[in-house]
Amino acid sequence: VLGYGAVALLLAAWALWWRFFLDMASFQWYAVSAGAYLLGVGWLEWRQGRKTLARWIDWVGMLIWLGTAWWQSLPGVMETGWPYALIMGAESLFLVWWGSARRQKRFLYVGASALVVNVMTQLVEPLLSANLWIVLGIAGALIGGLAILVERKLEAIREFSVDLRVQLEAWE
């Protein structure tokens, strides 16, 4: 525990050095390493059998990773938000993969949810600046097409969801 705390303090000191002495305003430069460190520590704690501590460390790591990228991708926070949206997308996909590899639902769900939130956040500004009738027309066509697709493939979707539910029941 003292070793983990010492490395966490070193990461915090490194982040503060970059922020205040080198005037690096982009938090993502040190949030990626801090989040990866915490996810690694969570994995090590999980392997040692301390699952409650590992869950808390994993949640903090995911929050640091996804929270900083999402905040910096918002319009008006940074000069350009799209690089941070791409970073968040990559982090989200990594969490989906990590959850599948470790057979843990929380990584899978957080990664998928973060990917959806990222896409929706990036679409808000372009959709607000577009013509309302075009947006509503495209949304209606997409929803109608999705409804037709679901109706035609309903049995295959049911089978897939049952198989997926059975498989996820075995995960933690």
Side-chain angles (χ1 to χ4, degrees), residues 15 18-19 23-32 68 71-72 78 80 83-84 87:
W18 275 76
R19 173 64 182 111
D23 201 27
M24 177 71 76
S26 177
F27 293 110
Q28 200 58 31
W29 287 106
Y30 32 90
V32 169
T68 56
W71 180 73
Q72 290 180 79
M78 303 297 282
T80 58
Y84 303 104
I87 291 171

Side-chain angles (χ1 to χ4, degrees), residues 115-150:
L115 192 60
V116 169
V117 166
N118 187 23
V119 169
M120 298 304 287
T121 302
Q122 297 306 310
L123 286 177
V124 167
E125 192 171 314
L127 289 176
L128 289 176
S129 65
N131 187 343
L132 179 65
W133 292 107
I134 293 173
V135 172
L136 291 177
I138 291 173
L142 287 174
I143 291 171
L146 183 65
I148 291 170
L149 180 69
V150 166

Side-chain angles (χ1 to χ4, degrees), residues 18-162:
W18 275 76
R19 173 64 182 111
F20 293 112
F21 294 107
L22 299 179
D23 201 27
M24 177 71 76
S26 177
F27 293 110
Q28 200 58 31
W29 287 106
Y30 32 90
V32 169
S33 59
Y37 168 73
L38 288 171
L39 289 176
V41 169
W43 179 70
L44 291 173
E45 289 295 327
W46 187 268
R47 289 187 57 203
Q48 293 294 323
R50 295 184 284 266
K51 294 184 178 186
T52 304
L53 177 62
R55 282 188 200 102
W56 281 102
I57 292 171
D58 288 339
W59 282 114
V60 171
M62 288 186 286
L63 179 66
I64 288 173
W65 248 17
L66 299 172
T68 56
W70 180 74
W71 180 73
Q72 290 180 79
S73 73
L74 292 174
V77 174
M78 303 297 282
E79 289 180 22
T80 58
W82 67 267
Y84 303 104
L86 289 177
I87 291 171
M88 184 178 174
E91 291 169 348
S92 300
L93 292 174
F94 174 79
L95 287 176
V96 168
W97 172 80
W98 187 246
S100 297
R102 286 182 62 184
R103 305 266 190 250
Q104 293 180 339
K105 292 185 260 188
R106 69 176 170 274
F107 292 110
L108 183 72
Y109 293 158
V110 168
S113 300
L115 192 60
V116 169
V117 166
N118 187 23
V119 169
M120 298 304 287
T121 302
Q122 297 306 310
L123 286 177
V124 167
E125 192 171 314
L127 289 176
L128 289 176
S129 65
N131 187 343
L132 179 65
W133 292 107
I134 293 173
V135 172
L136 291 177
I138 291 173
L142 287 174
I143 291 171
L146 183 65
I148 291 170
L149 180 69
V150 166
E151 192 272 328
R152 288 183 180 233
K153 302 286 185 181
L154 190 58
E155 194 59 39
I157 292 171
R158 283 184 184 151
E159 291 175 13
F160 175 74
S161 68
V162 167

